[in-house]
Amino acid sequence: ERSTFRACLTECFNAGNGVSALKVVEKMEDAMLKPDAGDVHLIVLALCRNNKEEPGLWEDAFELLLQYAAGTEEGGEAARGVVDVVSYNAVLKCMGEGQRCEDS
């Protein structure tokens, strides 16, 4: 079942559709699956790609990274892996782009 959700998240990433990635996460939770590090990576990158059209999605990506790192996602289970630095860098880049837009 996880592979089906991973395939959906991969397509959300490919399309740069962060909003749909968040919907996939909701469906995962309905199926009692929690995102693993690979899922979080895809969700974060999809949100950051979509941030250009919908500014502010980087905040959802940042919150997801913080929750996963702290192991505080719903249910309080400890994180099951380490999200790669690419995900953190994508959020930082989006934060910077958002600041430039606010400054102009």
Side-chain angles (χ1 to χ4, degrees):
E1 190 170 19
R2 179 172 295 280
S3 63
T4 301
F5 288 113
R6 179 66 62 91
C8 291
L9 290 172
T10 299
E11 288 308 310
C12 290
F13 163 72
N14 289 336
N17 193 337
V19 174
S20 289
L22 291 175
K23 290 179 183 175
V24 172
V25 171
E26 290 175 11
K27 295 298 181 186
M28 289 177 76
E29 291 170 356
D30 291 345
M32 306 299 226
L33 288 173
K34 299 205 181 287
D36 64 14
D39 298 330
V40 172
H41 170 79
L42 290 169
I43 297 161
V44 165
L45 293 183
L47 287 165
C48 289
R49 279 186 172 183
N50 200 184
N51 190 67
K52 292 176 178 117
E53 289 80 34
E54 294 190 43
L57 287 178
W58 69 266
E59 294 171 357
D60 293 319
F62 185 59
E63 183 66 27
L64 180 63
L65 286 173
L66 290 177
Q67 288 176 354
Y68 191 80
T72 59
E73 63 270 1
E74 280 190 39
E77 286 185 24
R80 291 166 299 289
V82 177
V83 178
D84 66 358
V85 71
V86 172
S87 300
Y88 289 92
N89 286 342
V91 172
L92 291 172
K93 181 179 177 191
C94 286
M95 289 171 71
E97 289 171 354
Q99 185 62 45
R100 282 195 299 273
C101 289
E102 289 175 13
D103 290 342
S104 56

